[in-house]
Amino acid sequence: MLSTIQPPRYLSRFPLRGRTKSRSFQILSSVQPVTKTCFAADQSQILSIRDSLLNRHLSAVELTHSYLDRLKQTEPHINCFLHVSDPDKVLKQAQDIDDKIKRNEEVGPLAGVLVAIKDNICTADMPSTGGSYILEGYRPPFDATAVKRLKDLGAIVVGKTNLDEFGMGSTTEASAFKVTANPWDLSRVPGGSSGGSAASVSARQCVVSLGSDTGGSVRQPASFCGVVGLKPTYGRVSRFGLMAYASSLDVIGCFGSSVADTGILLHAISGHDSLDATSSKREVPDFTSQFTSASSLKSRPLEGLRVGLIRDTVDAGVDSGVKSAIEGAAAHLEQLGCVLKE
């Protein structure tokens, strides 16, 4: 599972130590990929976890221990979380999953998957501060609909992640409580406002995470931290329980280490919600059915697709490194068959 993802350069200096050193790496490398799927399942931690649990290759408790150990070692350096769930409660949830599997009972598709939640998304009996002293100590008596759906499918909430206060920022330096670092380079920012959620996935402190996006607050930190971030179409995911920044634009979004995991997470939280009048009543498609293995694609898989290039991003005054990266990406898209238009 985790062996399919290389740790950030900085974090490679923090191997798991002590009791968990050898055993944890055995656990993390023992997760077998699912083979019966329409895309490369070895890129999906979620599917690999499910396959390994059901086939008894490892237990949910062992898996949870490995993530909690990783979080404990790396968190003092990165500061992704404003609140970490009680380890005993998290391990109890993992043990319940193992007990169900031993009894051959059905478990949810996200069973054993550790999820981090941005702290402007309400979680029952956990702090939900929006990164602001105004709400310090506030513990909602309810779960946001997206969080409830994850829990109903067996996911385990590992904690609440840092953000720019009420989502107003793009570096996660504007939190009232702490500054989150980029796991790849602690001298740099992880982006924002969902920087804590992006960095926690990048640092492998959790499997996937939820953020919120109004004008880029999921997509930009995903780019900074080298993970996959998705802002769904407005109305696809219920906003109930999300602290509003601009309610006509706000969306709960997804972070994962692969497109597959991000799509699975989106499918889990999507759908109409009677508690949110703006949520769409359209049927939720199986997003994963649209995934295709890279090996099955033709040489120009994006043939005919038009991509808009904003001239201001490559004109005079733009940092040379940024300009080079954009031009390189544009050239790569052309190689794949895209037609570039200003």
Side-chain angles (χ1 to χ4, degrees), residues 211-231:
S212 65
D213 192 314
T214 304
S217 288
V218 163
R219 294 160 289 170
Q220 183 249 36
S223 173
F224 280 28
C225 292
V227 296
V228 178
L230 173 67
K231 179 184 182 181

Side-chain angles (χ1 to χ4, degrees), residues 66-243:
S66 67
Y67 273 105
L68 292 178
D69 288 342
R70 176 78 172 179
L71 192 156
K72 182 178 180 181
Q73 291 176 39
T74 58
E75 181 58 14
H77 308 281
I78 311 174
N79 292 315
C80 295
F81 287 87
L82 294 179
H83 171 77
V84 176
S85 302
D86 183 344
D88 291 337
K89 292 183 179 180
V90 171
L91 290 168
K92 173 63 167 60
Q93 294 177 63
Q95 184 63 60
D96 290 343
I97 293 170
D98 287 335
D99 291 343
K100 286 184 177 181
I101 292 174
K102 288 178 182 178
R103 296 193 298 266
N104 293 317
E105 296 178 9
E106 185 176 349
V107 293
L110 297 182
V113 174
L114 267 65
V115 182
I117 308 294
K118 186 176 180 179
D119 205 36
N120 63 344
I121 302 173
C122 290
T123 45
D125 300 321
M126 282 189 186
S128 299
T129 69
S132 174
Y133 285 132
I134 295 173
L135 293 179
E136 186 175 16
Y138 172 59
R139 290 175 176 255
F142 65 94
D143 281 321
T145 297
V147 174
K148 182 179 184 302
R149 287 175 173 170
L150 292 180
K151 289 182 176 180
D152 289 345
L153 295 177
I156 300 173
V157 176
V158 71
K160 305 299 294 295
T161 56
N162 195 24
L163 68 155
D164 293 294
E165 189 167 2
F166 292 120
M168 299 182 183
S170 57
T171 63
T172 317
E173 294 174 298
S175 168
F177 300 103
K178 60 176 65 173
V179 174
T180 299
N182 191 309
W184 293 87
D185 182 344
L186 298 185
S187 69
R188 299 177 185 270
V189 299
S193 63
S194 306
S197 290
S200 64
V201 173
S202 181
R204 301 186 302 172
Q205 297 174 326
C206 58
V207 182
V208 290
S209 65
L210 294 184
S212 65
D213 192 314
T214 304
S217 288
V218 163
R219 294 160 289 170
Q220 183 249 36
S223 173
F224 280 28
C225 292
V227 296
V228 178
L230 173 67
K231 179 184 182 181
T233 301
Y234 186 84
R236 173 53 72 197
V237 178
S238 171
R239 290 183 298 106
F240 179 75
L242 171 65
M243 299 175 189

Side-chain angles (χ1 to χ4, degrees), residues 302-309 333 337-341:
L302 303 183
E303 189 79 50
L305 185 69
R306 289 194 301 166
V307 175
L309 182 63
L333 289 172
C338 288
V339 177
L340 293 180
K341 296 283 187 180

Side-chain angles (χ1 to χ4, degrees), residues 255-306:
F255 290 99
S257 58
S258 67
V259 172
D261 282 344
T262 307
I264 293 169
L265 183 61
L266 174 60
H267 188 270
I269 64 175
S270 293
H272 177 65
D273 178 17
S274 61
L275 298 174
D276 177 7
T278 66
S279 63
S280 174
K281 293 183 179 180
R282 291 187 180 182
E283 183 179 353
V284 179
D286 180 4
F287 303 116
T288 61
S289 67
Q290 303 173 39
F291 296 160
T292 304
S293 173
S295 61
S296 67
L297 295 175
K298 57 184 181 180
S299 60
R300 291 169 63 86
L302 303 183
E303 189 79 50
L305 185 69
R306 289 194 301 166

